[in-house]
């Protein structure tokens, strides 16, 4: 069996499209179709139902996809193990990271890492925390930087650091003269929060529910600076970690301590029982040390 056939088949299954898979694999669609058909002929089963507008895996296809994914991960781990043995200071790391975390902490961390390990190539992929977590789980990235909590039975977790959330309101807010506010003080306000694929969305929503109310969400965004501008336009209130609050310079904004302590805990995660390369281990160690010394 040609392992390329398994790779091509699993890519088609993930993309749910021969066209998208061919583009991702940099091969022609006819060549890709022949490869998958050759695998079906060799196994003597139909793996993909091509009769509908969107391709679907057959029952046999789902079994082969699951087993093929395991085989390909094992080959990937074997290749990486041998590479590490021969190139102890080289490698490539794919890092999944939410944009907000990348902006706040990682420019200086990446620079100091590249200065220390110039032959290790870093590829950063930006998505919300939920998407990053899924990418680590399925092996699309080597390591993820996320906001806790997550499923601890699936991932190895290295905590980086935490800080409290604060309230950001407009200077004309009725409670702008208060030094600190509780979540219940905000129950009648409009909230401006991050989209659902960001960890802070769930953190804020669950905390409000815990305190007896569902937040009235007026707007959602994937950009913290846009959320801040919306609050500056007096369109609602927001909750931000302390690090973001330090970057807010709009004179119309008031930053208040939150009486209800809501932690914003960052962590580096890898998939349990999966090979971790020398380069990835080195990056995790470097990141932990950077946080311990002030992100420098």
């Amino acid at each position: 069996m040609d392992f390329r056939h398994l790779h091509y088949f699993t890519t088609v299954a993930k993309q749910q499209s021969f066209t998208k898979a061919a583009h991702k694999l940099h091969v022609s669609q006819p060549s890709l179709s022949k490869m998958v058909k050759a695998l079906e002929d060799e196994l003597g089963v139909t793996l993909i139902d091509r009769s509908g507008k969107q391709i679907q895996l057959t029952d046999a296809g789902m079994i082969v996809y699951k087993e093929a994914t395991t085989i390909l991960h094992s080959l990937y781990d074997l290749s990486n193990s041998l590479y590490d043995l021969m190139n102890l200071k080289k490698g490539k790391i794919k890092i999944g990271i939410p944009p907000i975390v990348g902006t706040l902490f990682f420019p200086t961390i990446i620079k100091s890492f590249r200065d220390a390990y110039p032959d290790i190539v870093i590829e950063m992929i930006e998505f919300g925390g939920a998407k990053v977590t899924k990418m680590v789980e399925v092996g699309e990235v080597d390591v993820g930087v996320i906001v806790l909590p997550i499923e601890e039975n699936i991932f190895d977790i290295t905590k980086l650091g935490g800080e409290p959330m604060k309230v950001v309101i407009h200077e004309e807010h009725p409670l702008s003269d208060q030094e600190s506010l509780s979540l219940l003080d905000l129950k009648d306000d409009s909230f401006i929060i991050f989209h659902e694929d960001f960890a802070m969305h769930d953190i804020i929503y669950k905390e409000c529910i815990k305190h007896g109310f569902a937040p009235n969400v007026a707007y959602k965004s994937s950009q913290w600076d846009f959320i801040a501008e919306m609050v500056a336009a007096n369109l609602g209130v927001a909750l931000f970690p302390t690090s973001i609050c330090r970057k807010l310079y709009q004179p119309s904004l008031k930053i208040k301590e939150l009486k209800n302590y809501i932690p914003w805990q960052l962590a580096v995660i890898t998939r349990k029982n999966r090979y971790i390369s020398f380069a990835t281990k080195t990056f995790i160690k470097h990141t932990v040390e950077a946080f311990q010394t002030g992100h420098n």
Side-chain angles (χ1 to χ4, degrees):
M1 179 181 293
D2 189 333
F3 289 109
R4 286 183 305 165
H5 292 176
L6 293 179
H7 176 51
Y8 287 176
F9 165 67
T10 57
T11 303
V12 172
K14 288 178 183 178
Q15 298 296 320
Q16 295 185 308
S17 165
F18 278 95
T19 302
K20 292 179 180 179
H23 179 75
K24 188 175 183 67
L25 293 166
H26 305 291
V27 298
S28 68
Q29 186 172 335
S31 296
L32 179 58
S33 296
K34 288 180 182 178
M35 287 281 193
V36 175
K37 185 63 168 63
L39 179 62
E40 290 178 319
D41 291 343
E42 182 176 356
L43 296 176
V45 293
T46 299
L47 301 176
I48 295 176
D49 181 358
R50 302 166 174 81
S51 60
K53 290 184 178 180
Q54 188 176 34
I55 66 171
Q56 298 287 337
L57 293 183
T58 63
D59 290 344
M62 287 188 283
I63 293 172
V64 173
Y65 173 75
K66 180 180 178 180
E67 297 301 325
T69 300
T70 301
I71 292 169
L72 291 171
H73 277 312
S74 296
L75 288 173
Y76 177 76
D77 290 348
L78 174 60
S79 176
N80 279 342
S81 298
L82 295 174
Y83 185 89
D84 281 352
L85 185 64
M86 296 181 290
N87 304 275
L88 291 182
K89 294 294 183 182
K90 298 182 179 180
K92 180 177 180 180
I93 317 169
K94 292 181 70 174
I95 305 168
I97 189 167
I100 180 176
V101 176
T103 300
L104 290 175
F105 305 116
F106 276 82
T108 55
I109 291 176
I110 296 298
K111 183 182 185 306
S112 60
F113 183 81
R114 290 188 62 180
D115 289 344
Y117 303 94
D119 293 325
I120 296 180
V121 177
I122 293 178
E123 179 182 351
M124 295 188 67
I125 302 173
E126 287 190 320
F127 284 105
K131 173 68 172 177
V132 168
T133 301
K134 187 63 177 178
M135 293 176 76
V136 175
E137 181 179 354
V138 301
E140 293 180 359
V141 296
D142 302 305
V143 61
V145 183
I146 55 90
V147 178
L148 296 176
I150 60 168
E151 290 288 338
E152 296 189 8
N153 61 322
I154 298 177
F155 303 99
D156 287 320
I157 301 170
T158 304
K159 294 182 179 179
L160 296 177
E163 58 189 38
M165 304 276 277
K166 295 188 176 185
V167 184
V168 182
I169 61 175
H170 191 270
E171 62 182 353
E172 295 179 1
H173 191 281
L175 299 177
S176 62
D177 60 337
Q178 302 293 314
E179 291 187 5
S180 61
L181 300 173
S182 70
L183 284 176
L184 282 177
D185 291 331
L186 307 173
K187 65 183 179 63
D188 295 324
D189 281 285
S190 296
F191 279 72
I192 306 171
I193 64 176
F194 284 85
H195 281 302
E196 287 86 351
D197 55 347
F198 286 78
M200 276 200 290
H201 176 281
D202 288 349
I203 290 173
I204 293 170
Y205 197 92
K206 289 177 180 178
E207 286 294 328
C208 290
I209 295 296
K210 186 190 299 184
H211 287 82
F213 71 98
N216 174 28
V217 178
Y219 305 98
K220 300 175 187 177
S221 175
S222 61
Q223 303 295 326
W224 65 266
D225 50 349
F226 182 69
I227 292 176
E229 291 294 341
M230 298 282 274
V231 178
N234 204 12
L235 294 173
V237 302
L239 298 180
F240 281 150
T242 304
S243 294
I244 291 183
C245 291
R246 295 194 189 106
K247 293 181 174 291
L248 302 180
Y249 302 111
Q250 295 93 328
S252 62
L253 295 181
K254 298 293 182 180
I255 300 169
K256 305 294 181 180
E257 298 294 330
L258 185 62
K259 294 177 182 178
N260 316 98
Y261 178 69
I262 303 176
W264 191 66
Q265 175 73 58
L266 292 179
V268 174
I269 60 170
T270 54
R271 183 73 159 87
K272 282 185 181 293
N273 303 318
R274 185 165 291 164
Y275 176 77
I276 307 299
S277 69
F278 168 83
T280 301
K281 290 177 182 176
T282 303
F283 176 78
I284 293 173
K285 181 175 182 292
H286 181 87
T287 301
V288 170
E289 292 173 351
F291 269 80
Q292 291 173 345
T293 58
H295 321 314
N296 296 317

